[in-house]
Each structure stands twice: as C-alpha cells, then as structure tokens.
Amino acid sequence: MSVRIVYFAWVRERIGKGSEEIDLPADVKTVGDLIAHLATLGEEYAAAFEVPRVIRAAINEEHAEHDEVIGDAKEIALFPPMTGG
Amino acid sequence: MAAGGKISGDPVAPVSVRIQTGDFDISEEIEALTGDRADIGAVVSFTGLCRDEGGRLSALELEHYPGMAERAIRAIADEAVARFNLSGITAIHRYGAIPPGGNIVLVVASAPHRQAAFDGASFLMDFLKTDAPFWKKEHLKDGGSGEWVSAKDADDKAKLRWQKS
C-alpha cells in the first residue's frame, strides 16, 4: 500500500524534502511502526527520527498517537511539537 | 426554561478562522464580530507579536500545515463557543516571515458578559499553542541561520487548567 507522507519544520529539513509517497511494508501497522521504518531509510531519516518519542503525527489531518493504526490513510504527517501562537 | 439556556431564535455564533500571510486590523475584526448585534456585552481580543529576543532576531519564520492548521483551530474555536456560550469568535494566524514587532496571531471572542469572553479567548490560545500545526524558526540579525523554537512545558501545562474534573 502506498501512502503520502508529509514532513514539517526540522523533520522536513533533516530529511531534505517536504513530502513523498512511500510503499508501506506489510509489517508497518501503526504510526510508531512507520517512524521506525522511515528511520532505516538512510542517514537523513535516521537524523530526523533519532528521538522517536518527540515526533508528533497526524493521519488525514487529525492528530494521531504513535499506537494509532494507519489503516487506509491517504496522508500521514510527521513533525516536531508545535510552536504556533 | 433554565437561565442561560439556548432558546430557538438565538443568533448563530459566527466562527471565523483564517490562515494568511497578510497582516490584520484589530478594529475591523472587532467590528465584524459585534457591528450588527445588540446582544453582546463583552469583547476580548488577544494579539501575539514577534519579539526580537533581546535584539537577536531579524524575523520569525512561521511554517504551517495547510488545511490541518485551519481545521485544528476551527475545532478549538467551535469547542470554545460551545463551552463558554460565546456570541462569536475570530482567530487569525499568519505564516511566512514576520519581523520583530509584527503581528502573529489574533483572537477575538465576544459574549454577553466579560468572563466568558476572557475565558473563550484564553482557552483558544492555550489549545492553539499545543494543537495547531505551526512551527517557528528564528532568523538572526547577524545573518546566521537560527534555531527552530522549542515547545515549552509551560504551554502544555497551560491547557491542563481547562480540564473538566
């Protein structure tokens, strides 16, 4: 299954792109699994996801915890804690 | 009927959420919320501005997640209206490069009485800080590329006070 992943702030900078389509391995079920999988894709990904617990996620533009199942999500966003306002 | 209850015929509370690069005019936003109504007794506005951090910064760059940013703030605004019985609420968040002294965010909450208006504006800001997908990057006066602003524990704590026991 292919899913669109979008990155923001220093996650985007470390990976070097704002979005990409990823083919999900069958064993990637949750947001946490996805982050662990991405971290294996290269040095830049390892740098972005070196501390997985600080990464926040959204599935189809709704906040999601790391144990949330990805299911048939269209878009998953991964980003640092938010600092608006 | 119970005091304070909604009766049919109450005006619908307008909720306006905008994510934009341009500046905003506080007077215009207050007027838009209150101008044609006679049932509003209180308006509270909050404006968040860019600090220069002791003269270090040339600008803050605001990045956001288009779509989700508006959706997340609208959800908080809807909750604020329901929870404090607001007459209306407007939230505007800018993105892009903002120089020290420039406006970043505006919240205007209106209500029949002041406490609801204060609470509505404060509630929206507390949740916006931690739940709306915006990120700030510092640009330094000396030309150096600055750091991404870190999230503060104090912001997480600020929203806990709204938890219903």
Side-chain angles (χ1 to χ4, degrees):
Chain A
M1 191 189 80
S2 169
V3 63
R4 178 180 161 81
I5 318 280
V6 294
Y7 308 111
F8 293 100
W10 53 254
V11 174
R12 171 181 56 71
E13 283 187 343
R14 288 181 190 179
I15 293 172
K17 55 184 128 179
S19 68
E20 61 186 323
E21 295 282 331
I22 294 264
D23 282 318
L24 293 184
D27 60 348
V28 171
K29 306 283 189 204
T30 66
V31 169
D33 294 342
L34 173 64
I35 293 170
H37 169 65
L38 290 170
T40 68
L41 296 185
E43 271 180 26
E44 64 275 35
Y45 290 91
F49 301 117
E50 64 180 341
V51 187
R53 68 182 162 74
V54 306
I55 302 295
R56 302 289 190 267
I59 296 178
N60 298 337
E61 300 188 356
E62 300 282 353
H63 290 294
E65 300 295 329
H66 284 205
D67 61 0
E68 194 154 325
V69 173
I70 291 169
D72 57 356
K74 284 196 183 117
E75 182 170 288
I76 299 174
L78 299 171
F79 44 78
M82 291 149 280
T83 54
Chain B
M1 114 150 260
K6 281 271 179 195
I7 53 171
S8 63
D10 272 3
V12 176
V15 173
S16 175
V17 174
R18 277 128 66 198
I19 313 298
Q20 63 190 42
T21 54
D23 204 359
F24 46 75
D25 183 301
I26 300 170
S27 302
E28 280 178 18
E29 300 305 331
I30 291 175
E31 175 66 17
L33 212 47
T34 62
D36 58 352
R37 294 182 57 166
D39 60 328
I40 292 170
V43 179
V44 167
S45 79
F46 169 84
T47 309
L49 298 92
C50 175
R51 278 187 307 268
D52 70 357
E53 301 293 0
R56 283 192 308 117
L57 298 194
S58 63
L60 274 178
E61 182 183 339
L62 274 287
E63 179 171 335
H64 76 302
Y65 183 178
M68 182 177 171
E70 180 178 355
R71 180 200 286 244
I73 296 177
R74 184 168 293 276
I76 302 163
D78 287 343
E79 168 75 15
V81 166
R83 186 160 169 169
F84 303 105
N85 248 320
L86 300 179
S87 305
I89 193 162
T90 296
I92 302 174
H93 204 304
R94 297 178 65 197
Y95 66 94
I98 298 178
N103 294 323
I104 296 175
V105 63
L106 174 70
V107 173
V108 184
S110 64
H113 300 284
R114 73 177 185 282
Q115 196 58 54
F118 275 122
D119 286 348
S122 197
F123 175 92
L124 191 145
M125 278 309 304
D126 282 348
F127 279 81
L128 182 153
K129 294 287 276 187
T130 58
D131 291 10
F134 286 86
W135 301 271
K136 292 190 184 103
K137 186 178 192 177
E138 296 182 340
H139 287 269
L140 305 181
K141 257 191 184 149
D142 65 13
S145 87
E147 299 286 321
W148 289 93
V149 174
S150 299
K152 296 183 183 69
D153 287 344
D155 290 335
D156 283 325
K157 288 187 180 116
K159 74 173 184 181
L160 293 178
R161 70 194 167 109
W162 300 105
Q163 277 180 351
K164 290 172 175 170
S165 49

